[in-house]
Amino acid sequence: MRATVMTILLIWAAVAAGADSLEASPGVLWEYALANSDKMHSMDNLIVSSDMVREASGRLPDPSARFGWSPLPLETRNGPALFSITFMQRIPWPGFLSKERSLASTGVDLATQNRDLAALELRSSITELWSEMYLVRSRMEFSEGESARLQVLLEAASAKYETGAVSLSDLLRLENRIALLEADQYRMELNLEALNTAMNSLLGRSLDDGFRWSGALPGIENFRQHGYSGIDVSDFPLVRKSLIEVERARFTEELSAERRYPSFEIGATWSMIGNPSIEMGAVEEGGDGLMIFAGLSLPLGYSGNSYRYRAARSSAEAAFLIHSQQLAVLTSRRANLMAAIEGLMNLHSSYETDIVPNLEVILSLTEREWMTGTRSLMDVIEVISELRAAHLEMVGAYSQIVVSTAKLKELTGDTTKRGEFL
């Protein structure tokens, strides 16, 4: 089994080395995704679409032309009307067109804000996936060191078994642990390949492209949140979006109200008059006719405009209430994230400065005592398990610090500069 695992690792390393590599840090990955992600391209297209809707709004309706003809000409005082042509222009209630354009402008603002929010959300998604990859890689690296340590321990235990200092059951338990560790290493390798594929899919890359991992990561002090508590909640992207939605609902309400008002029509009708078949006396024969007219369209309520207005007014009130609630919710979320980051940093420091070093010393002492016969082999294995759990807790705390920081940046709208880790 061990030979199979090593073969797979070597093959994977060779493939990764030959593939196009991209630095595996959330900030660099996010920068790449912004330029190549299909989701971001689709959001850009929605902005263009909204801008086209704005360009088409706030304009007078197209004028209408109507041609009239009758098999039997209509007799007029000047003669029979052979046919007529009417041109008409509808004019909405004053202010309607400007409000319609304002409503369309909020659509562009909303599409732009949604694009910014999608970009921030994308960074958080990349960071969460990076965190899973980081955990798997750290676990694999620790397992390799643990496996080497257990192999040395197995050789010593086998020698002590020959002298009767180690029982067969303890020796078999040690062999089982090594076998489980090798199986777990193989599982983590497969898991890492799946995570690489998922990350490439998120970034818009080829699914089998590799990543370049840096040996050093920023210390936890780089994630200490000094300035985020001072940012005004009204500047948060989600609050800006809710403000746009409030404004959009208000314009929709105003337009619904004005649809209950009259609209105007102006136009002209030109009629071609033929020669009269009957002598009309004093009326001059022939001569085309031109009539200019103006009209007023009165909505009577059958189309349901009053119901639409009341619905739009309720929607506007709901949008304002949602905006007010959003302020309180986001203030709470910021406080929770900052508290979580502070707690995780304290936990990581405890493991890094005290718990893990102490367990390493305890393990060395326990191994020495086992070699002198004062401790059992199971005591050594138990301390190794404690050290493994402590190391994973420390690595997990670091990854959660990074993820929580990304979520806090998403909440406040803080972007990542080129080359930054996050």
Side-chain angles (χ1 to χ4, degrees), residues 91-222:
I91 303 175
W93 186 264
F96 182 89
L97 296 180
S98 62
K99 289 184 176 65
E100 186 181 55
R101 189 166 184 85
S102 297
L103 177 62
S105 295
T106 62
V108 179
D109 296 338
L110 188 60
T112 303
Q113 191 64 44
N114 283 335
R115 199 268 183 195
D116 294 341
L117 285 169
L120 295 170
E121 183 182 355
L122 178 61
R123 182 181 56 189
S124 296
S125 299
I126 290 172
T127 305
E128 289 178 340
L129 198 52
W130 175 91
S131 171
E132 294 183 47
M133 297 169 68
Y134 166 70
L135 284 174
V136 173
R137 284 178 54 84
S138 299
R139 189 172 179 180
M140 288 174 61
E141 291 174 0
F142 186 83
S143 294
E144 290 176 3
E146 183 181 2
S147 179
R149 191 164 202 158
L150 289 175
Q151 289 295 335
V152 174
L153 193 63
L154 179 61
E155 293 176 2
S158 299
K160 293 174 72 70
Y161 171 72
E162 296 295 333
T163 63
V166 172
S167 66
L168 179 60
S169 61
D170 286 348
L171 186 63
L172 293 176
R173 287 192 181 97
L174 181 57
E175 290 179 348
N176 286 343
R177 183 176 180 85
I178 294 174
L180 288 174
L181 188 60
E182 290 177 347
D184 192 44
Q185 286 175 320
Y186 179 65
R187 181 187 62 81
M188 288 187 292
E189 174 60 28
L190 296 177
N191 188 16
L192 183 59
E193 290 182 3
L195 291 173
N196 285 341
T197 301
M199 180 66 82
N200 282 326
S201 176
L202 191 61
L203 300 180
R205 300 174 80 206
S206 174
L207 297 183
D208 56 354
D209 284 347
F211 296 95
R212 184 177 68 258
W213 287 82
S214 174
L217 294 175
I220 59 172
E221 288 299 321
N222 291 276

